[in-house]
Amino acid sequence: MEEPEKLVCDGIARGYVPPEVLSISPRLRLYSSSSATEVDPITYEVIRNTLLNINLEHGQTIQKLSISPITMIVRDFQCAILTEVGDVMCLGPYLLYLGNMLALITKWILENRSDEPGIQDGDVFLCNDPYVGTSHQQDTGLTSPVFWEGELFCWVANSVHYSDVGGPVPGSFCLASEDIRQDPPCFPPMKLAEAGKLRVDVEQLFLRQSRLPSTVDMDLHAAIAGLNLARERIIKLIQRYGPEIVKAVIDEVMDAGERAVVEKLQMIPDGRWSERVYTEVSVPGDRGIYVSQINIVKEGEYLYVDNEGTSPQVGAINNTYAGLAGGVLAPLTIMLGYDLAGTSGGLYRRVKFRPVFGTITCADFPAPISTAGVYNMPMVVATATGAVAKMIACADSPLREKAIGMADVHAYGGWIFNGINQHGQFFVGMSAGMATGALPASPVRDGVDTGGLFWVPGMEASNVEENEMAWPVLTLYRRENAAGAAGAGKFRSGLGAEEAWILHGTEQMDVHVYMDESFVKNQGMMGGNPGGRAFFKVKRSTDVNQMLANGSIPQNYDELKGEEEKTFFKGPPIVLKRGDIWCTNLPNFAGFGDPLRRDPELVAKDLADGKLTVHEAQIVYGLVLATDGSVDVDGTSAYRESRYLKRLGTIAKSPLKSSS
Amino acid sequence: MGYYIGLDGGGTFTDCVAMDSDGQIRFAKAPTTTENFSDGMFDALTALAEEWGITLSDLITSTERFSLGTTVGTNLLVERKGARTGLLTTAGHGDAILMMRGSGRITGLDPELYYHPQATDKPEPLVPKNLIREVNERVDCEGEVVVPLNMQEVEDAVRSLVEDQGVEAIAVSFLWSFRRPDHELEAMRIINRIAPNVYVSCSHKVAPRMGEYERTVATVINSYVAQKTAIYFAGAAERLKEAGFNHPLLVMQVTGGILPVKAALEVPLTSLGSGPVGGLMGSAALANQLGHSNVIATDMGGTSFEVGLIVDGEPLVSDENVVSQYRYKQLQLQTTSIACGGGSVAYLAPYSRSIRVGPQSAGANPGPVCYRRGGTEPTVTDADVVLGLISADTFLGGKMPLDRDAAVRAMENLGRQVGLSAEEAAAGILKINNAKAAELIRQQTVIRGYDPRDFMLFAYGGAGPLHAFAYASELGVKGVVIPLGNGASTLSAYGSASSNLVRFFEKEQLFRYPFPLEELNGLINKLEAEAHGALTEMGRAPEDISLERFAQMRYSGQWLHSLLRKLPGGVYGQAEMGQIVDEFKATYDALYGSGAGRVSQGVELFSVRIRATAYLRRPEQAFHIKKESRIDEAARLGHRTIVWPDDIEKVSSEVFDGRYLRFGNRVTGPAVVELPHTSVAVGKGQTLSCDVLGNMVLDL
Amino acid sequence: MERQQVLIGDNLRLARVEGAIYFICACGQTLGSGDENFKDYCLVEESATASIGAGYKASDQGMADQVCFREFFCPSCGLRQATEIARVGDPYLSDIQPRL
Ligand SMILES: [Zn+2]
């Protein structure tokens, strides 16, 4: 075995990090533009707009034709147009961290497959290997070259979450895996289609691993249909305008995006910003606490990102370099690239990674990766969001107003379960607890209640009726959270949501993945409260069926009689039975600023809207009401003053200090 | 002499069209009066009577049929001027309409905004939280009752909404009510009993589709607009009656048919936004007479560009609509729109030294720079003026002289920043705008498997006829029709005059292949009987009624995708079922690539839909018989220098007054044909001719 | 353009005072020099995460006890400048270090 320091970032021993200049076989002819090509500003805009629409259509095709809710509703997928050397030109309004992964896979193929077996017109490569460039094995990438007259012109690619890609656990999230060989299989890039023809042997190889081959097959063909559509439309565009012009537009879109980002970087002072997020339990039974840290150094017109301070890789809580880079680029796309409409390639050029390998957020082979989709990836995005938001909040106006607090850390995916549904079919369900989302607070305004998760911009929650049609469950209630302490601040977070369920139409169901945090993982922003704690609560042998028979639908989990199951973060699988009730949530996210600085009228509005109790308005926000229920302005000021004084009077200076 | 009148109101103008018993038609319009709609309506009718040379009274008393299309409901919603509405829903699900599935922040917005959270927010709630009441009742996905309706709770909730909160309307939306409507019906009975003056609508009736969010939104909007819509219709009917009209007033529906007021008010939501649908139906009626079975109907106005498709003579139907970021399910003729029109603003794209157009619009206020209302940013209309496609002096028949110099200055200013002259910049703006329009059409056709080359393109709306010469040639369509020529801006009114009585009867029920045939046949029978009964009840003779069957089909699990399939008549056996499924699979593969549908995945038929049409008799539209090859001198307005956007070359182009062009006249481009409310541009190498029905046909 | 100060959120800034650079609270209190962690100059309260409010308490107390909720208050005005969820005993995160 090699020494760790000798490991190279080849996508085999350690996560693939592409070099600045790729090593591509001379057998593959690349179309390269002559820099002299002038495009008039009008043609430029027409072609730019068409390319964005082609990519959107690619995404809409996947969304329409796929059948797993995680793809068609939750938009856990991504699609992109990439340059001939695999740089992202534009990505869709879907799961943002997948964008750069498509670049990594494509670049790896260029370096490792351009000689043997070669890259041809009509090829489609399939890859789910996290060390090459996926977030976890379920997020399988397809990438396909677009050729013009024998030369590689550009690529179209997508990544889709496939419901089950094998491995020991239904849904393929292997919580107990301590080695990637206990995970679902990894396929480095191989040809799913060759010269325009589907390779049934490779298709069969991929489907053979799955517990849901039919579902995965439909989704795979939805993904292929998306690629075909995008490829054909780009060819038509080239036919119409000529390759020089289209290529010049692609290059210019990237350059323009880069200039836009540089202009924003000039509004940010140089410096260093960090965020630290804690996670827990590396495999079931472990009691450890682990750290994810992201540090951003802004120097001149570049950002340098590292993960120093992060725990060494351990158990089943790892992601590869692909996850680290993608997770950092996602919040940057929203806070620095918000006006680029997804043409993020220019932004990517300004971000340099200096990863610390062998850590949970940049693990080396053979660390298992399959659970990253629900644990590590949102955690990396959250950690990066915290660091980016603090940096942006130090920028000049109006950029500083674009800062967004930390969103979800671990609730992503909510819970994953399987069984036999009311129609007698085996199913694997993934309930996206996060899908209603919430926009966290920013330095200038409140977040948006159930306003969606910002790093999956097109995401949507399924209807309760759709869930009840697909799975043997009944939703007792689904409602917005209260605006209490969770996510409080001068500007508060948008509110998440909570849902309570019982079985219906079946006798039992297995839950393999559920999120019951032992402690809150979210971090508040600039003195704001952290978001809430994600939970998964189960009560056994309740009287719920009796209550239903008596004509009453329970509306408060906590008031229901029954035996509270002691749940743990990454506890053992739970078998739900008739008479059990369980409750899941998407907590509120980060608040901004000291809650005592919140405009009393905004507090009063939440009170009036029934989103806050009088008690919490007082405790959390220091609000005092007059006898007629209106805000007592003077009383509130005086009371808040007393709260500040109390802080000064009772708190001793802590002996702890920051590290040097 | 009898007249058949169609009227479209609610926009800037109230437009009307009348056809007489000889099939002659005339158009007129008058400004819409927002205070009292009937005033504007009668202004327009007075103008219409003048067109015929008769008195208003004569026109009204000899009118055989009067149909009305309107945007009043949409206006109520957008301006939030509807009824104070309460919502009654299943215990535990009152927040669904507030949570908006987590996507309400971006629904219906330009995808570019998806990446910019700080520029987006949720809309004002349609029903505030304090007007939402939850009651105990529960039905499951099979339609079985889990918890019976608690009638006392309904009564308490209704009393609290009506007596404490003063609601004027209530929407009832329970989970799975489209599978079992009993609870909603019972709740409605209770409301009717204790609050008889409160308007009630039920979700199983308004939008009987799976998905509680969209169904609830539809029901709430329905209740929200119902009473004011009813008052509006009643007001119009009353005024017409006083003036001597003694037939039932008919109302345009988004389903593409018309219904008597009483039937239309069963679900007022179906009258919401019937304006664009009227244009589509007008196109369909003309296309039918001209023998065009495939039409792309395009309506470009000041702020938006709407596209609808007619395939094999039938407008396509969709299930979904978005208003003010609220998405709801409703059967309606499909129209898709983007922000792209005469008022679309052009600006310098940051960082890339290029020009962008829209989606922001200058609207009517301040409007384009040339309108002299304080607009400073150049728009598409300004580009038209700079290039000479629009004459500053003869705009709107000379009623509104435009400031060409200001438009040129604004264009110079924009052009300078990217190294273009004012004319080059103006030409570029048109190219970008036309490319966007063409892109939308392409998405609506090619992506559904239709080849634009098999279609005629109809162009109407204020800016459609002027720009169609360019966006239509991008697509290679067979040709362009400016429907009704001079009457192109009243096409929606023409559409309501030429529509038939149409009602849809639909049931969403899941049938997995192999379909239980007895159940499926039974459902079809039941719906057809219901459909037939409803139209006979409206006094239609059985021989005038036609029933068509459709089914929505998909592969098992596809919640966001379905294909609408027309079904054969008769009772289905194994052979018919096999054929239905085979045709579904073949269509799917044709659309998405061979092998896209996996045989292993089951096929589902999840909704049966009956369209019942009662054909109304009306005179054949008169053909112009006498062919005139010579153009009347009155039509020749001389020449004007126009810069045509394609080659940015100044060309002396002839200008015509379209009112004097006759059947058989032929205009060769480059030319512009001016009409009182729009202009038609005829590009180089294109010809424009007038057809037998008064349409102008542009050969590309 | 020379930057005279950096606004950090809306109640903290980095600014020059008589040639040296300091973190300064909205109330005027300095919170250390620009190359230090301003949190070291705050009053710090450490409490159990469950004390933040309703919903923060989990069933697994043993795990929860390993972390804490930290609040950093300006020693002059009592404003809360920062919060942290942190493992007990971990140093304060030096997370905002802009340069002038
Ligand atoms: Zn202070």
Side-chain angles (χ1 to χ4, degrees):
Chain A
M1 226 175 150
E2 284 178 291
E3 292 296 310
E5 49 271 26
K6 286 186 192 159
L7 292 179
V8 286
C9 301
D10 56 359
I12 295 168
R14 128 175 314 180
Y16 173 60
V17 181
E20 284 289 330
V21 178
L22 303 182
S23 147
I24 301 172
S25 165
R27 285 184 55 199
L28 179 66
R29 286 164 54 216
L30 301 184
Y31 183 91
S32 46
S33 53
S34 78
S35 55
T37 308
E38 281 273 335
V39 186
D40 70 83
I42 305 307
T43 307
Y44 170 82
E45 175 57 12
V46 170
I47 294 175
R48 184 196 77 99
N49 194 51
T50 307
L51 287 167
L52 294 186
N53 271 297
I54 289 172
N55 197 51
L56 278 178
E57 260 184 51
H58 181 173
Q60 284 158 3
T61 303
I62 294 173
Q63 192 180 316
K64 270 195 315 189
L65 303 188
S66 60
I67 60 171
S68 46
I70 200 70
T71 302
M72 74 177 154
I73 308 278
V74 184
R75 321 289 193 247
D76 185 353
F77 70 96
Q78 185 54 277
C79 55
I81 298 174
L82 307 110
T83 65
E84 79 283 5
V85 291
D87 288 319
V88 169
M89 178 249 171
C90 68
L91 48 81
Y94 311 107
L95 188 49
L96 292 180
Y97 65 62
L98 295 172
N100 189 60
M101 297 180 188
L102 297 172
L104 294 177
I105 295 169
T106 305
K107 285 171 185 282
W108 193 94
I109 291 168
L110 281 162
E111 289 209 294
N112 296 280
R113 295 288 183 262
S114 54
D115 192 47
E116 272 306 326
I119 298 170
Q120 285 177 276
D121 197 357
D123 286 352
V124 173
F125 288 87
L126 177 150
C127 167
N128 77 339
D129 187 336
Y131 289 92
V132 171
T134 68
S135 44
H136 61 152
Q137 290 93 321
Q138 294 90 319
D139 288 341
T140 302
L142 300 185
T143 181
S144 177
V146 179
F147 276 83
W148 179 255
E149 293 180 344
E151 292 182 333
L152 176 56
F153 187 83
C154 68
W155 295 76
V156 289
N158 62 52
S159 172
V160 168
H161 182 108
Y162 295 92
S163 307
D164 186 298
V165 293
V169 184
S172 307
F173 290 85
C174 305
L175 269 56
S177 173
E178 297 197 64
D179 181 302
I180 197 151
R181 282 147 300 214
Q182 298 162 346
D183 253 7
C186 291
F187 298 113
M190 56 184 182
K191 289 191 185 184
L192 175 63
E194 192 159 25
K197 200 167 181 330
L198 185 75
R199 284 194 52 175
V200 290
D201 52 349
V202 174
E203 184 193 33
Q204 182 74 51
L205 172 68
F206 183 63
L207 298 179
R208 185 61 168 151
Q209 315 304 322
S210 177
R211 291 168 184 78
L212 298 163
S214 182
T215 303
V216 171
D217 199 10
M218 277 301 280
D219 289 356
L220 190 64
H221 280 265
I224 295 170
L227 283 182
N228 289 342
L229 176 140
R231 196 192 309 104
E232 283 163 23
R233 285 210 59 194
I234 290 173
I235 291 293
K236 286 213 172 101
L237 200 64
I238 299 173
Q239 283 166 348
R240 164 122 193 228
Y241 292 96
E244 311 80 19
I245 298 286
V246 177
K247 177 66 177 135
V249 171
I250 291 176
D251 292 346
E252 174 56 18
V253 166
M254 312 254 305
D255 293 347
E258 187 174 3
R259 285 194 293 275
V261 168
V262 166
E263 185 170 295
K264 294 186 181 65
L265 289 172
Q266 287 164 351
M267 300 168 82
I268 303 171
D270 285 354
R272 182 177 188 272
W273 291 265
S274 299
E275 185 59 274
R276 180 172 62 185
V277 165
Y278 292 85
T279 186
E280 55 179 317
V281 185
S282 62
V283 287
D286 172 49
R287 308 286 289 165
I289 303 271
Y290 305 92
V291 181
S292 160
Q293 185 166 332
I294 299 281
N295 313 294
I296 302 180
V297 172
K298 187 260 167 184
E299 192 76 62
E301 294 174 349
Y302 284 89
L303 298 176
Y304 302 90
V305 181
D306 70 69
N307 56 333
E308 204 176 322
T310 301
S311 300
Q313 66 190 60
V314 60
I317 54 166
N318 311 290
N319 60 266
T320 60
Y321 172 75
L324 176 68
V328 170
L329 291 169
L332 283 169
T333 298
I334 293 294
M335 289 187 250
L336 271 182
Y338 52 84
D339 52 359
L340 299 180
T343 59
S344 303
L347 165 67
Y348 290 9
R349 289 178 185 164
R350 292 285 160 166
V351 186
K352 306 291 174 195
F353 289 93
R354 298 161 167 174
V356 178
F357 285 92
T359 53
I360 59 171
T361 58
C362 196
D364 289 329
F365 194 81
I369 308 294
S370 69
T371 70
V374 287
Y375 295 104
N376 277 58
M377 286 316 304
M379 178 181 76
V380 173
V381 175
T383 316
T385 299
V388 173
K390 288 173 206 172
M391 175 179 78
I392 298 293
C394 289
D396 302 332
S397 199
L399 181 59
R400 60 192 286 112
E401 291 148 24
K402 308 299 180 189
I404 295 182
M406 187 183 293
D408 178 49
V409 181
H410 278 332
Y412 182 68
W415 50 293
I416 300 166
F417 47 101
N418 63 272
I420 306 294
N421 69 13
Q422 65 271 44
H423 317 296
Q425 299 157 329
F426 174 76
F427 73 97
V428 176
M430 192 163 168
S431 171
M434 62 170 178
T436 54
L439 203 60
S442 82
V444 289
R445 72 163 188 173
D446 283 353
V448 178
D449 298 346
T450 50
L453 200 60
F454 70 82
W455 44 272
V456 197
M459 172 191 280
E460 205 159 35
S462 50
N463 275 301
V464 165
E465 287 175 350
E466 287 156 354
N467 290 348
E468 293 184 358
M469 179 57 93
W471 310 320
V473 295
L474 207 71
T475 294
L476 298 177
Y477 58 86
R478 180 198 266 186
R479 66 166 60 100
E480 273 183 359
N481 298 335
K490 175 182 176 182
F491 294 106
R492 69 159 172 85
S493 167
L495 307 178
E498 176 177 320
E499 196 159 354
W501 319 63
I502 56 170
L503 287 182
H504 188 74
T506 193
E507 290 303 312
Q508 71 171 59
M509 190 165 88
D510 300 343
V511 184
H512 288 272
V513 177
Y514 50 92
M515 302 293 164
D516 194 56
E517 293 181 327
S518 306
F519 57 89
V520 56
K521 310 276 171 22
N522 186 284
Q523 301 278 9
M525 184 178 178
M526 307 249 161
N529 268 14
R533 184 181 67 92
F535 61 69
F536 186 91
K537 304 189 275 198
V538 184
K539 249 178 211 173
R540 304 288 195 183
S541 319
T542 66
D543 54 355
V544 59
N545 288 314
Q546 189 57 44
M547 285 181 73
L548 292 175
N550 291 341
S552 147
I553 303 169
Q555 292 299 307
N556 188 335
Y557 172 91
D558 295 324
E559 287 173 4
L560 217 75
K561 290 196 195 74
E563 302 154 28
E564 184 86 41
E565 175 97 351
K566 197 163 189 240
T567 45
F568 299 94
F569 194 72
K570 287 200 185 159
I574 292 176
V575 180
L576 295 168
K577 297 208 161 87
R578 270 180 74 79
D580 295 348
I581 167 171
W582 67 101
C583 189
T584 60
N585 80 330
L586 180 74
N588 306 343
F589 296 144
F592 172 88
D594 190 337
L596 292 183
R597 291 291 167 103
R598 183 166 175 79
D599 181 347
E601 291 302 331
L602 289 176
V603 183
K605 185 172 188 313
D606 278 341
L607 262 179
D609 291 346
K611 293 180 174 175
L612 190 62
T613 63
V614 173
H615 178 69
E616 297 217 73
Q618 190 193 356
I619 298 296
V620 178
Y621 289 110
L623 185 82
V624 177
L625 291 176
T627 42
D628 67 352
S630 67
V631 176
D632 177 348
V633 178
D634 294 340
T636 299
S637 298
Y639 177 59
R640 286 180 171 186
E641 203 50 47
S642 74
R643 292 272 296 266
Y644 294 128
L645 286 172
K646 192 171 166 218
R647 289 169 173 178
L648 296 175
T650 57
I651 301 160
K653 205 169 167 192
S654 164
L656 256 173
K657 286 269 182 176
S658 41
S659 56
S660 53
Chain B
M1 184 64 69
Y3 296 95
Y4 298 80
I5 296 182
L7 187 133
D8 180 56
T12 316
F13 288 98
T14 297
D15 304 324
C16 55
V17 172
M19 184 191 283
D20 69 10
S21 324
D22 296 337
Q24 301 290 335
I25 63 175
R26 297 280 188 276
F27 332 100
K29 56 172 60 200
T32 296
T33 47
T34 42
E35 283 299 299
N36 188 345
F37 166 76
S38 316
D39 294 345
M41 168 169 142
F42 270 75
D43 293 344
L45 290 171
T46 306
L48 187 63
E50 276 170 29
E51 288 287 319
W52 288 103
I54 57 177
T55 66
L56 177 65
S57 167
D58 284 348
L59 175 69
I60 303 281
T61 49
S62 17
T63 293
E64 298 287 330
R65 193 178 304 136
F66 196 109
S67 33
L68 174 67
T70 173
T71 56
V72 62
T74 315
N75 297 350
L76 286 173
L77 197 65
V78 171
E79 296 165 14
R80 291 287 195 277
K81 286 183 177 165
R84 188 169 166 81
T85 302
L87 170 63
L88 214 58
T89 186
T90 305
H93 301 277
D95 279 4
I97 192 169
L98 302 171
M99 296 196 286
M100 302 181 75
R101 297 182 67 185
S103 61
R105 190 168 52 78
I106 52 164
T107 299
L109 301 185
D110 191 304
E112 298 205 3
L113 285 172
Y114 289 17
Y115 304 85
H116 194 172
Q118 302 297 30
T120 59
D121 207 343
K122 277 185 176 175
E124 273 297 299
L126 287 170
V127 179
K129 201 178 168 82
N130 63 339
L131 298 186
I132 299 172
R133 296 287 183 280
E134 300 178 2
V135 295
N136 274 298
E137 73 81 37
R138 191 64 149 94
V139 172
D140 70 10
C141 69
E142 308 291 350
E144 300 294 326
V145 174
V146 181
V147 172
L149 179 69
N150 186 319
M151 295 191 269
Q152 187 57 48
E153 283 179 6
V154 174
E155 189 165 336
D156 294 346
V158 172
R159 286 197 194 285
S160 132
L161 282 173
V162 175
E163 289 160 21
D164 305 340
Q165 297 290 345
V167 304
E168 303 153 289
I170 293 177
V172 184
S173 182
F174 293 153
L175 286 188
W176 296 109
S177 62
F178 64 101
R179 292 304 310 273
R180 178 185 283 267
D182 305 5
H183 290 180
E184 287 190 351
L185 288 168
E186 185 58 43
M188 183 165 73
R189 277 191 287 273
I190 295 170
I191 299 167
N192 285 339
R193 174 167 56 78
I194 61 179
N197 296 322
V198 164
Y199 182 87
V200 194
S201 48
C202 295
S203 80
H204 76 272
K205 170 98 179 165
V206 175
R209 312 297 299 272
M210 184 159 94
E212 73 276 5
Y213 170 66
E214 290 82 0
R215 196 169 69 246
T216 304
V217 168
T219 313
V220 165
I221 294 177
N222 189 64
S223 282
Y224 188 74
V225 301
Q227 287 144 315
K228 290 196 176 171
T229 305
I231 290 170
Y232 174 95
F233 291 153
E238 188 62 24
R239 280 285 294 271
L240 285 170
K241 198 174 168 198
E242 283 167 13
F245 177 66
N246 54 12
H247 299 280
L249 174 64
L250 299 167
V251 180
M252 189 75 209
Q253 304 288 290
V254 287
T255 51
I258 45 180
L259 285 179
V261 171
K262 183 166 170 283
L265 286 179
E266 283 179 26
V267 181
L269 185 66
T270 55
S271 308
L272 193 89
S274 55
V277 164
L280 193 49
M281 288 312 293
S283 301
L286 286 168
N288 184 31
Q289 297 174 69
L290 296 168
H292 301 308
S293 49
N294 295 328
V295 170
I296 301 164
T298 65
D299 179 350
M300 189 183 282
T303 57
S304 69
F305 178 66
E306 301 228 11
V307 173
L309 285 196
I310 297 162
V311 177
D312 294 332
E314 297 285 352
L316 297 187
V317 175
S318 87
D319 301 321
E320 230 178 56
N321 197 12
V322 175
V323 178
S324 296
Q325 294 171 243
Y326 282 94
R327 190 178 43 214
Y328 60 94
K329 297 258 178 91
Q330 188 189 30
L331 260 187
Q332 56 180 38
L333 297 196
Q334 171 142 349
T335 53
T336 311
S337 79
I338 53 169
C340 164
S344 292
V345 169
Y347 61 99
L348 186 73
Y351 317 113
S352 65
R353 242 174 55 82
S354 67
I355 291 176
R356 294 216 183 132
V357 183
Q360 304 85 341
S361 168
N365 260 314
V369 177
C370 62
Y371 277 18
R372 305 170 192 265
R373 288 181 191 149
T376 53
E377 294 177 293
T379 64
V380 169
T381 299
D382 291 310
D384 291 330
V385 171
V386 168
L387 297 175
L389 286 166
I390 292 179
S391 153
D393 306 325
T394 56
F395 185 66
L396 287 183
K399 284 178 197 149
M400 188 175 152
L402 301 176
D403 188 346
R404 180 168 189 278
D405 291 345
V408 170
R409 280 194 303 274
M411 210 60 73
E412 273 170 359
N413 185 30
L414 178 66
R416 194 180 309 121
Q417 301 175 66
V418 290
L420 298 178
S421 69
E423 282 149 0
E424 286 168 332
I429 289 170
L430 290 202
K431 277 193 202 168
I432 293 167
N433 206 50
N434 289 331
K436 283 191 171 185
E439 172 69 22
L440 179 67
I441 296 170
R442 218 205 54 74
Q443 286 174 5
Q444 296 303 307
T445 49
V446 178
I447 207 164
R448 294 165 200 270
Y450 302 121
D451 186 339
R453 287 170 297 190
D454 298 334
F455 285 72
M456 286 296 278
L457 185 142
F458 279 38
Y460 48 97
L466 190 62
H467 297 117
F469 80 95
Y471 67 74
S473 40
E474 290 255 330
L475 297 155
V477 293
K478 292 202 289 192
V480 177
V481 173
I482 314 300
L484 302 177
N486 193 12
S489 63
T490 58
L491 189 66
S492 289
Y494 177 83
S496 51
S498 51
S499 293
N500 293 304
L501 296 178
V502 175
R503 280 193 72 166
F504 281 95
F505 294 83
E506 180 168 30
K507 173 86 177 164
E508 183 160 323
Q509 187 173 333
L510 186 66
F511 296 94
R512 289 189 176 79
Y513 182 80
F515 311 140
L517 287 172
E518 198 173 325
E519 219 177 311
L520 179 61
N521 283 318
L523 176 62
I524 291 172
N525 258 334
K526 180 170 162 286
L527 288 173
E528 289 188 338
E530 205 181 321
H532 204 273
L535 290 201
T536 22
E537 203 175 293
M538 281 180 224
R540 312 322 304 178
E543 63 270 24
D544 289 340
I545 298 172
S546 122
L547 302 182
E548 294 155 290
R549 280 179 208 174
F550 301 87
Q552 281 183 294
M553 296 177 68
R554 64 187 173 200
Y555 279 102
S556 173
Q558 284 180 327
W559 298 342
L560 297 186
H561 176 269
S562 64
L563 292 179
L564 183 67
R565 307 295 304 154
K566 190 158 186 181
L567 298 185
V571 176
Y572 301 149
Q574 293 297 329
E576 289 81 3
M577 175 169 68
Q579 195 191 340
I580 290 168
V581 170
D582 287 348
E583 283 177 10
F584 164 79
K585 286 179 172 170
T587 309
Y588 190 96
D589 276 9
L591 277 173
Y592 305 116
S594 182
R598 309 311 288 168
V599 182
S600 54
Q601 190 68 19
V603 171
E604 295 174 353
L605 186 162
F606 69 97
S607 119
V608 174
R609 180 184 298 174
I610 306 297
R611 180 170 61 193
T613 309
Y615 291 97
L616 299 177
R617 286 166 206 184
R618 55 172 62 83
E620 290 286 321
Q621 191 170 335
F623 281 38
H624 299 284
I625 307 163
K626 197 163 158 245
K627 202 162 178 171
E628 294 265 6
S629 54
R630 206 185 65 83
I631 295 177
D632 190 330
E633 279 311 309
R636 293 188 186 273
L637 298 178
H639 285 73
R640 168 160 101 218
T641 302
I642 292 175
V643 181
W644 292 87
D646 273 341
D647 39 19
I648 319 183
E649 196 190 344
K650 287 184 182 172
V651 182
S652 171
S653 312
E654 193 168 4
V655 182
F656 296 88
D657 184 337
R659 292 173 300 170
Y660 300 103
L661 292 179
R662 297 283 174 265
F663 170 50
N665 283 178
R666 223 175 162 72
V667 167
T668 306
V672 168
V673 176
E674 295 184 343
L675 295 164
H677 296 282
T678 183
S679 294
V680 190
V682 186
K684 267 183 271 181
Q686 301 177 341
T687 55
L688 181 102
S689 52
C690 298
D691 75 3
V692 291
L693 291 172
N695 304 304
M696 293 179 177
V697 181
L698 191 60
D699 288 314
L700 302 172
Chain C
M1 191 188 68
E2 190 72 355
R3 232 174 252 281
Q4 286 312 304
Q5 61 171 12
V6 175
L7 295 178
I8 301 164
D10 49 4
N11 282 307
L12 186 64
R13 64 199 162 100
L14 186 72
R16 272 177 233 277
V17 179
E18 291 165 0
I21 297 171
Y22 295 97
F23 285 97
I24 305 170
C25 177
C27 70
Q29 171 72 39
T30 57
L31 296 171
S33 68
D35 51 7
E36 296 179 280
N37 186 358
F38 72 89
K39 294 175 186 171
D40 291 338
Y41 292 82
C42 290
L43 296 176
V44 186
E45 175 149 44
E46 245 180 49
S47 48
T49 56
S51 72
I52 300 171
Y56 283 90
K57 189 168 162 42
S59 53
D60 194 342
Q61 194 58 43
M63 290 300 290
D65 285 345
Q66 296 187 55
V67 296
C68 63
F69 177 52
R70 291 175 180 157
E71 297 170 276
F72 300 87
F73 301 110
C74 167
S76 170
C77 68
L79 177 80
R80 193 167 81 183
Q81 285 286 8
T83 59
E84 281 185 0
I85 301 293
R87 177 162 49 191
V88 174
D90 275 5
Y92 306 154
L93 182 68
S94 180
D95 55 350
I96 300 179
Q97 299 278 241
R99 292 202 307 271
L100 263 177

